[in-house]
Amino acid sequence: MVNLESLKDGDPEMYNLIVKETSRQNSGLELIPSENFVSKAVLEAMGSILTNKYAEGYPGKRYYGGNQYIDLIEQIAIDRAKSLFGAEYANVQPNSGSPANMAVYFALMEPGDKLMGLELSQGGHLTHGSPVNFSGKLYSASSYSVDKETEMIDMDVVRKYAEKEKPKILLSSTTAYPRELDFKEFSEIAKDIGAISMADIAHIAGLVIGKVHQDPFPFTDIVTTTTHKTLRGPRSGLILCKEEYGKAIDKAVFPGMQGGPHEHIIAAKAVCFKEAATPEFSEYAKQIVKNAKKLSESLIEHGFRLVTGGTDNHLILIDLTNKGITGKEAQNSLDEAGITTNRNTIPFEPRSPFDPSGLRLGTPAITSRGMKESEMEQVAGWINRVIENHGDSSLKEKIREEIREFCKEFPLYPE
Ligand code: DSN
């Protein structure tokens, strides 16, 4: 952890809450698939004095003085991002995933242009054209669905629908889909209909780097990602693209949308890119998938129905219908036992998104703590006991204690 001594004196109320949250993270099982634990080096860069600096513009072209070191920092982040992902161009300024996607749309579409992505309730994202999001309000969005039987994306269906709808941007991107995406095929469809291919790889960026998921490059025109999920960096965003789109994207980020870039976070992203380029990170990415596969097998043995029947990546989507519990009830019960998950819609969801039938789990964070396949059997066992006995408060308290003890073997920020 970064040193909190000054905070302890200056703002004890905030200090105490941070200490409590640290303890919560340390003593529970973090299974939200979009969360992770960053290294101390990443934390230190985020907590650095770089937050003091205004640097509107780009390296060598700033609107403020005093940016000689900031320029070097941002250029290192750009160079590392390009090299890590094998991209021709990188913009490291987006503050998170949604602004990264927004910048791409602003750069390449006019209001009213058509955008096509996976339907939100089937595993897409708000920024992929949902009617409640700017992407569905400003642009004409049409969504493809997964197959009703397999619950997977059928590329023949995507092709037919794309040929009919002719979107300007065709997205290959998911947030709750446990299978691989065929980026090559998506890009070929986009090329055939004259669309720009775009992959938002926020969930799987670390798996792509670890070569346990297909790579969107060299096929895809534009790739966006967050940096805090499987990539294990600071909470932020990144745009990678072919050279020809670079200038328009830079302009859309600044001055189009954002003001001063968060250079402390950009430095932390650079640290994360360096960490992700190591053989240890590739091993980590492989272990995420091994753990997810083992966790899904164990859950199936306990009688859980998994959407698509299993997983190829870091994520598992449980359909709880046969267990007689809703996603919200399951999430709350597991919370009481120290297991953090999030409720989620399943394909063709019969319930409401606020209390859906599904539960979304993932292994990136527990893999960062050093857990392996044998621990996944224990984790599945705890999930099963909680779900099967969700009305039993004393059992949940007992499991809470078991998990607290278990987590001590996998310390997080020990000091
Ligand atoms: N909110 C993220 C997730 O949890 O998947 C997507 O942006």
Side-chain angles (χ1 to χ4, degrees):
M1 273 280 287
V2 283
N3 192 318
L4 299 179
E5 283 312 303
S6 307
L7 190 63
K8 191 175 181 179
D9 291 340
D11 191 341
E13 189 184 13
M14 194 52 69
Y15 170 83
N16 285 329
L17 287 171
I18 294 176
V19 168
K20 281 189 177 146
E21 172 61 12
T22 307
S23 160
R24 188 197 68 80
Q25 291 188 13
N26 213 358
S27 67
L29 291 173
E30 181 50 73
L31 292 180
I32 292 176
S34 47
E35 293 191 12
N36 214 330
F37 301 118
V38 299
S39 70
K40 275 171 61 186
V42 167
L43 274 181
E44 284 169 12
M46 288 167 77
S48 72
I49 49 79
L50 298 175
T51 191
N52 297 336
K53 191 72 196 96
Y54 251 120
E56 284 180 9
Y58 289 100
K61 287 170 274 172
R62 305 284 187 185
Y63 289 82
Y64 290 77
N67 275 306
Q68 59 270 43
Y69 303 115
I70 296 292
D71 276 1
L72 297 176
I73 287 165
E74 188 166 332
Q75 194 57 52
I76 288 174
I78 292 168
D79 294 343
R80 286 183 186 169
K82 283 163 61 179
S83 150
L84 185 66
F85 287 93
E88 293 173 12
Y89 205 89
N91 185 308
V92 297
Q93 292 193 1
N95 290 333
S96 199
S98 295
N101 289 346
M102 185 184 252
V104 174
Y105 303 161
F106 281 3
L108 304 173
M109 289 197 290
E110 294 301 324
D113 279 353
K114 194 170 274 180
L115 167 76
M116 185 183 286
L118 177 62
E119 163 71 35
L120 174 66
S121 64
Q122 304 203 357
H125 186 252
L126 282 165
T127 58
H128 302 165
S130 161
V132 299
N133 180 263
F134 82 91
S135 58
K137 290 183 198 285
L138 267 187
Y139 303 103
S140 151
S142 56
S143 310
Y144 50 88
S145 297
V146 296
D147 180 80
K148 210 158 190 169
E149 288 301 310
T150 63
E151 299 173 313
M152 294 192 212
I153 295 169
D154 178 336
M155 294 311 295
D156 290 337
V157 170
V158 174
R159 175 174 282 281
K160 279 203 189 101
Y161 196 47
E163 282 171 354
K164 177 170 165 272
E165 294 288 318
K166 296 221 178 338
K168 183 126 189 227
I169 291 184
L170 176 63
L171 273 155
S172 48
S173 311
T174 63
T175 63
Y177 184 68
R179 298 295 176 176
E180 283 202 50
L181 293 165
D182 187 344
F183 293 120
K184 186 163 184 276
E185 180 65 18
F186 267 106
S187 304
E188 275 165 15
I189 295 171
K191 202 179 271 170
D192 291 347
I193 60 165
I196 294 165
S197 54
M198 172 173 171
D200 168 353
I201 60 166
H203 266 259
I204 54 168
L207 307 184
V208 169
I209 297 308
K211 302 205 183 317
V212 277
H213 191 290
Q214 291 171 50
D215 195 330
F217 286 126
F219 320 109
T220 312
D221 294 315
I222 318 272
V223 175
T224 58
T225 183
T226 50
T227 47
H228 50 272
K229 297 188 176 93
T230 47
L231 201 52
R232 214 163 61 182
R235 183 163 297 279
S236 198
L238 171 68
I239 305 172
L240 304 149
C241 61
K242 293 186 175 160
E243 185 79 39
E244 63 186 286
Y245 301 105
K247 270 209 174 90
I249 282 174
D250 280 356
K251 262 198 195 159
V253 174
F254 176 83
M257 283 171 55
Q258 295 188 172
H262 298 182
E263 294 293 344
H264 55 309
I265 304 296
I266 289 174
K269 282 186 256 194
V271 174
C272 142
F273 300 150
K274 185 170 187 209
E275 291 175 353
T278 59
E280 292 77 22
F281 187 89
S282 292
E283 283 310 306
Y284 162 67
K286 288 186 182 86
Q287 192 63 48
I288 292 177
V289 177
K290 282 188 206 162
N291 283 353
K293 283 187 186 291
K294 185 70 200 178
L295 183 58
S296 67
E297 282 162 22
S298 304
L299 288 168
I300 289 169
E301 281 165 21
H302 286 296
F304 286 94
R305 188 188 92 76
L306 306 191
V307 169
T308 79
T311 184
D312 290 331
N313 57 26
H314 63 303
L315 180 147
I316 295 164
L317 188 56
I318 305 177
D319 171 5
L320 292 161
T321 310
N322 66 340
K323 294 284 181 180
I325 183 171
T326 68
K328 191 173 167 194
E329 287 165 344
Q331 177 195 303
N332 291 344
S333 292
L334 289 164
D335 251 343
E336 285 176 56
I339 302 172
T340 314
T341 59
N342 79 287
R343 61 186 187 270
N344 211 96
T345 53
I346 56 169
F348 309 99
E349 175 64 62
R351 299 178 55 84
S352 86
F354 191 67
D355 189 7
S357 313
L359 193 70
R360 194 180 68 145
L361 318 176
T363 52
I366 53 174
T367 307
S368 289
R369 295 188 76 156
M371 295 179 199
K372 298 229 162 73
E373 287 94 319
S374 60
E375 281 82 33
M376 296 307 112
E377 290 179 20
Q378 273 174 282
V379 172
W382 276 314
I383 293 171
N384 184 48
R385 278 166 70 203
V386 173
I387 300 292
E388 290 292 336
N389 305 282
H390 58 274
D392 186 342
S393 298
S394 61
L395 180 79
K396 282 184 276 189
E397 189 46 44
K398 185 171 174 291
I399 292 174
R400 179 75 195 91
E401 279 315 307
E402 288 172 16
I403 289 174
R404 209 185 292 281
E405 277 308 302
F406 171 81
C407 284
K408 287 183 185 158
E409 292 170 42
F410 303 92
L412 186 63
Y413 311 120
E415 65 284 8

